[in-house]
Amino acid sequence: PVFVVTFQFRFCRKCFLTAIRESGTHCPLCRGSVTKKERTYPKRALDVENSMKKASGGCRCCEKQVRFSWMRQHYKTCKKYQDEYGVSSIIPNLQISQDSTGNSRNDAISDNGEMANNQILQGETSGHPTFKCPLCQESNFTRQRLLDHCNNRHLYQIVPVICPICVSLPWADTNQVTRNLVSHLNLRHRFDYGEFVNLQLDEEAQYQNAVQESCHVNF
């Protein structure tokens, strides 16, 4: 969490930075002008952090009591949460997908993730990747358009598929299966990873960048 001193507001850091990128210099809550320093390196909301370290809540899937400061880490290891919302690799060589009418059909997925790779298309003019919906095979979606499409067309369609956005990331496992695509998109892909990390760097370089940026954080 971060603290905007000018207006005494507290935000999730990622949400705040994303909102600032979209709105320029305006506070996402009151639309007032945010200083350049706070836009670049917002202060940590230490009061909220301390409260999160003391307070606990139940995991939405396994109901285990976890301190809020560790909840996100818990979700990364909670099997029930991963099965419900995340990406699971339990089902190998998935053979279920949907045709344009929503009826089930069989599509063999090769061991090298050939079908998953087919879910990614390259934008002809923008250079940004576009994606094919794995539930209806409609194509040429940007990340946001795919999110909107699935929420409008497939909200209650729970079918295990491979997430085309995940497959497009450098660290992707092309055999990983998402059990609930719409929930997964809403939880994992409401933002572009490219806005926060350099997708051209390997994992070790990402860690080094994170350590260097942490030196600029106000403690």
Side-chain angles (χ1 to χ4, degrees):
V2 296
F3 178 55
V4 180
V5 179
T6 306
F7 307 109
Q8 303 290 299
F9 295 146
R10 292 158 178 79
F11 301 96
C12 161
R13 183 175 186 276
K14 289 184 178 180
C15 295
F16 175 73
L17 293 177
T18 299
I20 287 296
R21 286 191 182 95
E22 294 178 355
S23 63
T25 63
H26 300 296
C27 170
L29 190 59
C30 71
R31 311 304 295 166
S33 295
V34 181
T35 64
K36 182 177 180 180
K37 182 178 180 180
E38 289 191 312
R39 294 197 307 268
T40 307
Y41 302 113
K43 289 188 175 182
R44 292 168 58 184
L46 296 178
D47 55 338
V48 177
E49 286 188 15
N50 290 332
S51 296
M52 292 175 66
K53 291 177 182 178
K54 297 176 182 178
S56 301
C59 169
R60 68 178 68 181
C61 293
C62 72
E63 299 183 358
K64 179 180 179 181
Q65 289 294 309
V66 181
R67 289 185 180 179
F68 288 122
S69 58
W70 284 93
M71 189 65 74
R72 184 173 296 177
Q73 188 66 30
H74 169 75
Y75 284 150
K76 292 180 180 179
T77 58
C78 176
K79 183 178 182 300
K80 289 185 178 180
Y81 180 89
Q82 291 294 325
D83 287 346
E84 181 68 21
Y85 298 103
V87 179
S88 173
S89 58
I90 296 176
I91 306 176
N93 300 326
L94 182 70
Q95 294 183 331
I96 301 175
S97 63
Q98 298 288 317
D99 61 21
S100 60
T101 62
N103 297 320
S104 296
R105 64 183 177 84
N106 290 332
D107 281 312
I109 296 179
S110 61
D111 291 338
N112 62 2
E114 180 179 352
M115 182 176 178
N117 292 331
N118 288 338
Q119 302 291 350
I120 309 171
L121 306 173
Q122 189 69 23
E124 295 181 358
T125 57
S126 66
H128 296 293
T130 56
F131 309 98
K132 179 187 292 184
C133 174
L135 296 173
C136 69
Q137 305 307 309
E138 190 173 342
S139 61
N140 204 32
F141 290 113
T142 62
R143 176 200 58 80
Q144 186 59 53
R145 286 188 59 214
L146 179 63
L147 192 72
D148 295 338
H149 165 80
C150 288
N151 277 298
N152 292 332
R153 294 275 301 276
H154 306 297
L155 184 60
Y156 301 107
Q157 191 171 348
I158 301 178
V159 178
V161 294
I162 293 176
C163 173
I165 301 178
C166 284
V167 171
S168 73
L169 300 173
W171 52 82
D173 180 349
T174 56
N175 291 319
Q176 287 183 324
V177 174
T178 300
R179 295 177 179 274
N180 187 331
L181 179 66
V182 180
S183 291
H184 169 78
L185 291 175
N186 287 325
L187 286 168
R188 300 291 181 87
H189 298 300
R190 283 191 172 275
F191 63 92
D192 288 309
Y193 282 91
E195 294 181 357
F196 298 95
V197 296
N198 186 340
L199 298 179
Q200 305 303 317
L201 300 179
D202 59 23
E203 187 175 23
E204 181 60 30
Q206 300 280 13
Y207 282 130
Q208 292 178 2
N209 280 355
V211 171
Q212 290 176 0
E213 288 184 11
S214 70
C215 295
H216 300 288
V217 176
N218 295 317
F219 290 97

